[in-house]
Amino acid sequence: MSKTYDYDLFVIGAGSGGVRAARLTALGGKRVAIAEEHRVGGTCVIRGCVPKKFMVMASDFSHQFETAEGYGWTVEASFDWPKFIQTKDVEIARLSGIYVANLGKAGVDLIHGRAVLKDVHTVEVTHRDGGESRTITAENILIATGGRPWLPADLSGVEHAITSEQAFHLPELPKRILIAGGGYIAVEFAGIFAGLGVETTLIYRGPNILRGFDDDVRAHLAGEIEKRGIKVILGCQHSEIVKTESGLVNRLENGMEIETDVVMFATGRAPHVTALGLDAAGVDLDDKGAIKVDALSKTTADNIWAIGDVTDRMNLTPVAIREAVCFHETVYLDNPQHFDYEAVATAVFSQPPVGTVGLSENEARHACSGEVDVYLSRFRPMKYAFTGSDERMLVKLVVDATSQKVVGVHIVGPEAPEMIQLAAIAVKAGLTKAEWDATCAVHPTMAEELVTLKEKQRPGNMSAV
Ligand code: FAD
């Protein structure tokens, strides 16, 4: 360690990536400080994955009650939103406390405040409640400031809209909500509110929800969420939001007017780089406004690194954590490591949920010179046999026709996120379709479809969006 600096490493942002990097480095004997301007745990713990999943679980009970009635139960249920929000917030505070404790156990100095770069080795930290700022020097600096919701600032009336950040703390459950956006956050919140009995409209300017996912998944899920009562309006966006005495009137470009109590925008997220002092340290942004990094997460300044959503590579918690581990290996263990972004499994906690890993059919057609075998099954999950539900499950395998490796797995239906985690092991390992088929099924399960799909889709059968 150089004695000229206060710390070996200064981390800006105590979210998924920052906390992991700080702890690993401190446990390795280095002097580490971390600054957090909001609450320790970052987006994932405080206003992302974790509270979102609690909300999905709360909401999904309504569907389970309906299913239960098919099995002979009589369920009289009611939902207490303030009670749920309070319970959820207690748990979030507990989890944040664990993160704080773990930083302390590792010997990391936690500094509550907003950090701004002053030069390549210097940051200034100001407590969010004001007061004196501190100037701190470090040999290396890691930027892990995450992302923030993006809103169309030029839309008239957008100030009446909320984002996911406020959705976690609505004082009461609205009767009507309109959610703008077609990405996973929009779809997940639409499912949450619809499941809780809120009249829910999803509006998206693109041709179908979940851009970037497999087209069969997109089409299937759009149909399924409509069956669960969500009104989906595609190819359209707001022209104006007007506040009236009875609610918020959403004027759409197609001439429709929809009145709701709440309008939520989930129209994307932007890297959190505002007033971070990047210029003072010679840290450049890329053309999308994310911090520019090389494969090892080094920025354009030699001793400054960046990981997680602020680099806008693959904005997921486990990825930010893996990037943190690679940073630590590279900088402190003399073992240059870059994260492998291939075959990262991901889930959409829509209702029904989605699990996906590897290439979509379209991506595979480009990557595998067009020679792709597709295996697809749509079926009613056994659980719904007595309920009259016409919900269908989708299981799709995309196989490189030449190597016969399974390069993509896409599932829509109950437990898809749990299934895809396991399927991802086989995809990552590069197993062939024959090796999948050699695996004996577990019966009766939904997952057995993964190893029993025999018939290739003929090109004429393939659905497109
Ligand atoms: P963050 O976790 O965002 O942490 C950044 C931290 O830096 C924040 O705490 C912030 O307050 C702090 N900070 C920013 N600027 C400064 C500064 N100048 N000084 C001090 N502190 C600062 N991912 C999944 O894998 N699965 C999911 O199901 C999932 N669901 C999501 C749901 C929602 C609604 C959202 C918004 C995100 C979700 N994500 C999910 C994405 C996931 O939360 C992020 O990919 C992950 O949190 C990124 O980690 P990070 O370390 O880059 O940044």
Side-chain angles (χ1 to χ4, degrees), residues 111-442:
I111 303 171
H112 292 281
R114 176 169 174 70
V116 175
L117 291 160
K118 290 295 162 186
D119 64 40
V120 281
H121 290 292
T122 312
V123 290
E124 191 176 81
V125 186
T126 312
H127 197 275
R128 65 168 184 264
D129 300 332
E132 266 191 25
S133 50
R134 284 174 67 183
T135 299
I136 297 164
T137 59
E139 185 176 24
N140 289 312
I141 294 172
L142 177 68
I143 304 172
T145 51
R148 356 177 65 174
W150 178 88
L151 283 161
D154 52 351
L155 174 71
S156 170
V158 76
E159 68 276 10
H160 301 305
I162 64 163
T163 67
S164 58
E165 310 222 326
Q166 294 83 40
F168 291 118
H169 298 286
L170 289 175
E172 59 186 33
L173 194 61
K175 291 203 166 36
R176 304 163 298 175
I177 191 166
L178 182 142
I179 298 176
Y184 79 93
I185 294 175
V187 172
E188 290 175 341
F189 274 92
I192 288 168
F193 285 111
L196 293 175
V198 179
E199 188 184 313
T200 304
T201 306
L202 183 70
I203 158 178
Y204 178 52
R205 65 190 170 127
N208 209 346
I209 56 171
L210 293 187
R211 185 163 62 93
F213 283 70
D214 186 272
D215 283 343
D216 280 312
V217 168
R218 300 172 72 192
H220 188 88
L221 185 69
E224 293 301 322
I225 65 174
E226 282 188 309
K227 287 181 195 167
R228 296 252 188 139
I230 298 169
K231 182 173 180 187
V232 180
I233 302 175
L234 298 170
C236 187
Q237 58 185 344
H238 277 92
S239 56
E240 191 180 20
I241 302 168
V242 180
K243 192 171 170 52
T244 66
E245 277 189 2
S246 54
L248 296 168
V249 176
N250 299 271
R251 299 214 167 107
L252 308 185
E253 281 179 342
N254 64 2
M256 278 175 87
E257 280 195 4
I258 301 173
E259 192 185 68
T260 56
D261 306 306
V262 173
V263 183
M264 173 177 157
F265 270 72
T267 39
R269 292 177 61 81
H272 192 354
V273 292
T274 319
L276 201 53
L278 299 178
D279 286 347
V283 174
D284 292 349
L285 297 178
D286 66 16
D287 51 8
K288 290 186 292 172
I291 292 184
K292 196 191 261 184
V293 284
D294 64 15
L296 297 175
S297 296
K298 188 194 274 194
T299 71
T300 46
D302 242 5
N303 63 307
I304 302 184
W305 309 73
I307 54 169
D309 286 11
V310 77
T311 61
D312 198 18
R313 287 174 284 185
M314 193 178 273
N315 299 336
L316 294 168
T317 284
V319 174
I321 291 171
R322 289 294 183 106
E323 288 171 354
V325 174
C326 291
F327 158 79
H328 175 252
E329 290 274 332
T330 301
V331 178
Y332 293 107
L333 299 182
D334 197 20
N335 178 29
Q337 290 282 312
H338 60 83
F339 179 64
D340 175 6
Y341 296 89
E342 263 187 34
V344 173
T346 181
V348 180
F349 294 95
S350 45
Q351 297 176 40
V354 175
T356 186
V357 62
L359 304 179
S360 68
E361 184 181 333
N362 278 342
E363 285 169 342
R365 290 197 184 283
H366 285 105
C368 311
S369 330
E371 298 301 317
V372 170
D373 294 339
V374 172
Y375 299 82
L376 185 146
S377 168
R378 285 191 179 86
F379 58 97
R380 184 175 67 179
M382 187 179 171
K383 192 177 179 181
Y384 302 139
F386 305 153
T387 65
S389 163
D390 61 350
E391 188 166 314
R392 290 285 178 277
M393 180 134 187
L394 171 84
V395 175
K396 177 172 178 178
L397 298 188
V398 180
V399 178
D400 179 334
T402 313
S403 68
Q404 279 301 299
K405 283 185 180 169
V406 177
V407 292
V409 181
H410 310 279
I411 308 172
V412 185
E415 313 305 338
E418 302 292 337
M419 288 181 213
I420 209 67
Q421 179 67 84
L422 302 177
I425 299 170
V427 174
K428 191 78 184 166
L431 300 190
T432 62
K433 177 72 167 66
E435 286 166 318
W436 281 63
D437 292 347
T439 307
C440 190
V442 179

